[in-house]
């Protein structure tokens, strides 16, 4: 075989049948038995493709379920022999013999049909199934009797197939060939000379079969003829050709037909036996009855018909031959075969319609309507299947895709034939939809509100904003950004910060409710796509108050070296309003609700304080036994948790006249913050006051004799300074501690008109007092309106340079009196209604 291959001339015929822009077909013709790696053809040149296109398109060969005999060399763009091709094993007697496969390209998907015709070479000799054949022929056989010989088999075709027979020797027999309708030849041996057993009992012949190849090959069979006596009538078949049909997949034992032959002889010479000219594994012929039965499995897809030669022979050795043709009827016993030629595992969600995602080859070995196919896919998916050519389908997109709606599709391709009953096959393709950044993050709420208690720790987590992105992977990764804005001119980043990954909002500073009660800002959620998409939301932070401020006492005012005392006449009735403690709390809500309690009191049975309004009133009638000097400690407490408080000391003088309380309250100021410099300041104050007093005395001695005498009486009194709270003080903070306007003033004495004092009618409600911490200077407390219209009503009394300047304004209905002493100055204001009783006094000590 190898010698013949070396000497064989290989012819290569290349023909391009058709080629289009979408797909095409190219055909090649090569001889069988070519060595591995032999060139089949330049597929790139023949298809008009560039070598780069073969590489980028991942060109490959698709053969379906068939073996791959041809391989593609993408570097050279040629087709090469991959496996040795035996035409006889591949196609048998079928001509022409060809390999059909497809060249698949991707990006974009294309395929091209390739047909490689395999031409035959004379590599097989004619052969006989048996090496010898025996004939028993009666000597009475007439000239012209025929004896059927076994046909030779040659797998080669055309000129290389079986060509002729030669029979040697030819003394008694001659070879006769009959052409058959299927192109084959019936081989018969014809008796041309009568036999004579007495002369020659056995004759040996050689039948040689020759093919038409170059070189010519042959095969032989030995024929032995035994000459018998007296049987001069041969059997004769009733039909020259017997025909039968059988359905494929019929069970074993099925009777297909019955043959019959008759012999004119009698006795044993008329007994006929039947036999097949060649053995087979599919059929069996009963030698006695002539019944042909099925003994194997027949398949229409393997062979559509069978033909056999049968022989009828009598006991004398005479025979006749006939032919049986069996046609196989196809049944729908094969489901369609679906082969995925090429497919995409994923596709972008923004892909346009009519994108090819898979190419499919479907075939059904059945014939006629049993092999006609219809393919479809499952419903309600954005894909469709299209038939591109016979047996080839493309799966393409039909409408828009949305990964957020369906991230993947299981596409079931079902193909069914038109047989009865119909058979079908299906295959499922899984297609993933790759994400495109087409969705912006969405917050869970349209706006957020959060609360935080003031005095928080910086860095405290307030709350979390959360946004979701319907996209996937990096496109769904949300980052949070604090948008630039300001709160009261201050960047919002100095108030809060936002964690970029978690959306947790942290307080950057400690908040104070009294400074800021709420503020708002915007947070942006941005995904990680390219380009990124974003959305924003408004966040409002409300600060809750905490009880972090203690109440503040506005009245009475507490100073270090001056004393305020409230004067209560001994004739005061039960419920007499002594004074009112005024306090405020800068907190809000219940943290600013104030309550008043007496903590320490000289006589607990004499005074009480209003729990809500802070008013100090008598709870019994004042009598002569009550001490002149009363000291009350009032606790002002808010309603917070924990509660905060403040204390204030209230001094009350129980007396009917002003001089009565002087001696009792003299020591009050000396008990406070007494230090080593007191003597120095006293001497200095004495000198300044004396100088001013003497100067004033010279000027007004003629008209102020009585006043001078009165000041001399009080000269040696060391009176403390009691600050005066502004009359008509009103609670403007809305705390509920002072609901009405009150005047706390002092009435003059009943004999004040007889004293050495100058009277004036008040026009204002303000008081100027001396600051006890200064050296002879006065501090103005309040000033609102000018003096009265009466020009002759003195309002201000004072001296020139280096003198003590003192200004007093009162809003009393009665005239007031100003008394000047050498070292102390006292001022009195009468009450609003009566001329005695309720008095208020203040002392200023000049140091």
């Amino acid at each position: 075989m190898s010698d013949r291959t070396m000497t064989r001339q290989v012819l290569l015929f290349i023909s391009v049948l058709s080629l289009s822009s979408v797909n095409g077909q190219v055909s090649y013709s090569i001889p069988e038995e070519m060595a591995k790696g032999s060139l089949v053809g330049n597929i790139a040149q023949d298809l008009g493709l560039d070598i780069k296109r073969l590489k980028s398109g991942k060109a490959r060969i698709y053969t379906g379920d068939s073996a791959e005999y041809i391989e593609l060399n993408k570097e050279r763009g040629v087709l090469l022999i991959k496996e040795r091709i035996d035409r006889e094993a591949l196609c048998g007697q079928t001509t022409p013999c060809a390999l059909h496969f497809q060249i698949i390209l991707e990006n974009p998907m294309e395929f091209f049909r390739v047909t490689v015709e395999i031409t035959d070479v004379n590599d097989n000799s004619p052969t006989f199934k048996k090496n010898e054949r025996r004939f028993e022929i009666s000597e009475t056989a007439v000239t012209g009797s025929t004896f059927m010989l076994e046909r030779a088999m040659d797998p080669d075709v055309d000129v290389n197939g079986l060509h002729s027979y030669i029979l040697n020797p030819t003394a008694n027999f001659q070879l006769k060939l009959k052409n058959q309708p299927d192109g084959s030849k019936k081989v018969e041996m014809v008796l041309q000379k009568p036999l004579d057993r007495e002369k020659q009992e056995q004759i040996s012949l050689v039948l040689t079969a020759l093919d038409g190849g170059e070189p010519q090959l042959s095969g032989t069979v030995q024929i032995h003829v035994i000459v018998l006596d007296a049987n001069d009538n041969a059997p004769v078949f009733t039909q020259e050709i017997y025909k039968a049909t059988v359905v494929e997949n019929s069970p074993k034992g099925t009777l297909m037909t019955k043959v019959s032959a008759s012999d004119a002889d009698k006795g044993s010479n008329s007994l006929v036996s039947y036999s097949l000219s060649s053995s087979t594994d599919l059929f069996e012929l009963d030698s006695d009855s002539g019944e042909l039965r099925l003994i194997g499995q027949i398949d229409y897809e393997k062979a559509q018909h069978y033909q056999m030669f049968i022989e009828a022979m009598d006991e004398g050795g005479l025979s006749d031959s006939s032919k049986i043709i069996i046609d196989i009827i196809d049944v729908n016993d094969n489901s369609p075969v679906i082969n995925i030629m090429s497919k995409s595992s994923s596709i972008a969600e923004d892909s346009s319609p009519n994108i090819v995602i898979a190419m499919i080859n479907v075939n059904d070995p059945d014939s006629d309507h049993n092999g006609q196919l219809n393919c479809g896919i499952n419903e309600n998916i954005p894909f469709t299947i299209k038939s591109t050519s016979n047996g080839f389908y493309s799966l393409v997109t039909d409408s828009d895709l949305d990964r957020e709606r369906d991230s993947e599709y299981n596409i079931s391709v079902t193909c069914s034939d038109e047989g009865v009953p119909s058979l079908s096959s299906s295959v499922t393709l899984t297609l993933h939809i790759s994400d495109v950044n087409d969705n912006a993050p969405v917050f869970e709420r349209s706006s957020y509100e959060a609360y935080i208690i003031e005095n928080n720790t910086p860095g405290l987590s307030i709350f979390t904003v959360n946004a979701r992105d319907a996209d996937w992977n990096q496109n769904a990764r949300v980052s949070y950004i604090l948008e630039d804005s300001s709160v009261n001119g201050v960047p919002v980043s100095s108030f809060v910060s936002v964690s970029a990954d978690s959306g947790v909002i942290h307080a950057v500073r400690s908040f104070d409710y009294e400074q800021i009660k709420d503020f708002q800002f915007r947070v942006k959620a941005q995904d990680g796509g390219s380009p990124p998409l974003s959305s924003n939301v408004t966040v409002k932070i409300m600060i809750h108050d905490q009880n972090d401020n203690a109440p503040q006492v506005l009245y009475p005012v507490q100073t270090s070296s001056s004393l305020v005392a409230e004067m209560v006449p001994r004739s005061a009735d039960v419920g007499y309003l002594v004074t009112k403690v005024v306090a405020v709390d800068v907190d809000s809500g219940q943290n600013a609700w104030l309550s008043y309690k007496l903590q320490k009191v000289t006589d607990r049975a004499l005074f009480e304080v209003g729990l809500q309004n802070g008013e100090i009133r008598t709870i019994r009638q004042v009598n002569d036994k009550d001490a002149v000097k009363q000291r009350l400690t009032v606790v002002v407490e808010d309603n917070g948790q924990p509660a905060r408080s403040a204390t204030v000391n209230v001094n009350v003088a129980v007396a009917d006249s002003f001089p009565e309380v002087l001696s009792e309250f003299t020591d009050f100021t000396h008990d406070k913050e007494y230090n080593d410099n007191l003597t120095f300041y006293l001497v200095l104050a004495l000198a300044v006051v004396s100088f001013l007093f003497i100067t004033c005395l010279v000027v007004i001695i003629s008209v102020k004799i009585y006043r001078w005498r009165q000041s001399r009486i009080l000269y040696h009194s060391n009176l403390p300074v009691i600050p005066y709270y502004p009359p008509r003080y009103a609670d403007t903070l809305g705390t509920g501690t002072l609901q009405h306007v009150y005047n706390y003033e002092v009435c003059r004495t009943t004999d004040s008109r007889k004293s050495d004092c100058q009277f004036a009618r008040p026009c204002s409600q303000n008081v100027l007092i001396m600051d006890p911490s200064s050296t002879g200077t006065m501090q103005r407390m309040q000033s609102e309106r000018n003096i009265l219209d009466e020009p002759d009503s003195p309002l201000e009394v004072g001296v020139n340079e280096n003198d003590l300047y003192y200004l007093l304004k009162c809003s009393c209905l009665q005239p007031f009196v100003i008394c000047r002493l050498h070292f102390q100055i006292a001022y009195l204001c009468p009450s609003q209604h009566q001329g005695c009783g309720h008095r208020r006094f203040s002392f200023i000590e000049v140091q």
Side-chain angles (χ1 to χ4, degrees), residues 152-393:
M153 301 298 296
D154 192 336
D156 294 328
V157 295
D158 298 331
V159 296
N160 296 322
L162 186 62
H163 183 264
S164 63
Y165 293 88
I166 299 175
L167 182 65
N168 285 308
T170 61
N172 297 97
F173 297 91
Q174 185 178 3
L175 188 64
K176 182 180 180 181
L177 301 178
K178 271 188 184 180
N179 293 324
Q180 299 297 310
D182 60 350
S184 63
K185 293 182 179 181
K186 182 179 178 181
V187 183
E188 292 179 335
M189 183 175 64
V190 181
L191 181 63
Q192 63 177 359
K193 181 180 180 180
L195 299 176
D196 189 353
R197 190 188 63 81
E198 289 71 28
K199 291 182 179 180
Q200 191 175 4
E201 186 176 357
Q202 183 174 342
I203 302 174
S204 296
L205 304 171
V206 175
L207 179 61
T208 303
L210 300 173
D211 63 19
E214 189 67 30
Q216 192 175 48
L217 302 178
S218 64
T220 62
V221 61
Q222 295 291 327
I223 301 174
H224 300 284
V225 178
I226 306 300
V227 181
L228 300 177
D229 260 342
N231 185 18
D232 54 355
N233 289 290
V236 177
F237 278 102
T238 58
Q239 298 180 26
E240 185 177 353
I241 297 176
Y242 290 88
K243 291 185 178 181
T245 59
V246 62
V247 177
E248 68 171 326
N249 300 327
S250 294
K252 294 180 180 180
T254 300
L255 177 63
M256 293 180 291
T257 189
K258 184 179 180 179
V259 298
S260 177
S262 61
D263 193 323
D265 293 329
K266 293 184 179 181
S268 61
N269 290 329
S270 65
L271 297 177
V272 179
S273 62
Y274 303 96
S275 64
L276 294 172
S277 63
S278 58
S279 62
T280 175
D281 297 331
L282 297 177
F283 308 101
E284 181 182 53
L285 181 63
D286 190 287
S287 61
D288 296 328
S289 64
E291 292 180 348
L292 184 66
R293 294 185 180 272
L294 180 66
I295 61 172
Q297 188 74 25
I298 57 175
D299 189 351
Y300 176 86
E301 287 69 43
K302 293 182 179 179
Q304 288 79 37
H305 58 268
Y306 295 91
Q307 61 181 6
M308 297 168 290
F309 291 97
I310 58 176
E311 182 180 30
M313 182 176 289
D314 60 18
E315 293 293 334
L318 298 180
S319 64
D320 191 15
S321 62
S322 183
K323 182 178 181 180
I324 298 178
I325 298 176
I326 301 173
D327 293 323
I328 310 301
I329 299 176
D330 184 36
V331 296
N332 192 26
D333 60 343
N334 291 280
S335 299
V337 178
I338 303 174
N339 296 308
I340 306 300
M341 299 171 57
S342 181
K343 68 174 183 177
S344 298
S345 59
S346 65
I347 186 173
E349 64 175 321
D350 60 348
S351 299
S352 59
N354 295 321
I355 297 297
V356 178
I357 60 173
M359 289 191 295
I360 302 171
N361 170 242
V362 186
N363 61 78
D364 192 326
D366 293 326
S367 63
D368 298 331
H369 60 274
N370 293 331
Q372 294 180 5
L373 301 173
N374 295 309
C375 293
I377 61 175
N378 44 318
E379 298 179 350
N380 300 322
I381 57 175
F383 305 97
T384 187
I385 188 168
K386 296 180 179 179
S387 176
T388 57
S389 59
N390 187 23
F392 292 91
Y393 296 86

Side-chain angles (χ1 to χ4, degrees), residues 418-431:
E418 295 183 1
V420 179
S422 177
L423 299 179
S424 63
S425 299
S426 63
V427 64
T428 300
L429 304 176
T430 299
L431 180 66

Side-chain angles (χ1 to χ4, degrees), residues 473-485:
N473 205 358
Q474 183 67 26
N475 294 330
R477 187 171 298 170
V478 179
S479 299
Y480 301 91
I481 303 170
L482 181 64
E483 291 191 350
D484 292 335
S485 61

Side-chain angles (χ1 to χ4, degrees), residues 787-800:
I787 61 173
L788 297 175
D789 297 331
E790 296 176 321
D792 58 345
S793 297
L795 180 62
E796 299 180 357
V797 179
V799 295
N800 294 329

Side-chain angles (χ1 to χ4, degrees), residues 43-45 47 49-63 68 70-79 101-112 114 341-342 359:
I43 189 67
Q45 179 179 346
L47 292 177
L49 298 176
D50 190 20
I51 299 296
K52 294 181 180 179
R53 171 60 180 139
L54 295 179
K55 294 180 180 179
S56 64
K58 300 178 182 179
R60 58 188 175 87
I61 292 177
Y62 171 79
T63 61
E68 291 188 12
I70 307 296
E71 66 179 358
L72 173 64
N73 188 321
K74 292 185 285 187
E75 302 295 329
R76 298 166 53 195
V78 297
L79 296 177
F101 56 89
Q102 292 78 38
I103 300 293
I104 306 297
L105 296 176
E106 297 180 359
N107 300 322
M109 288 187 179
E110 294 179 291
F111 77 96
F112 303 88
V114 179
M341 299 171 57
S342 181
M359 289 191 295

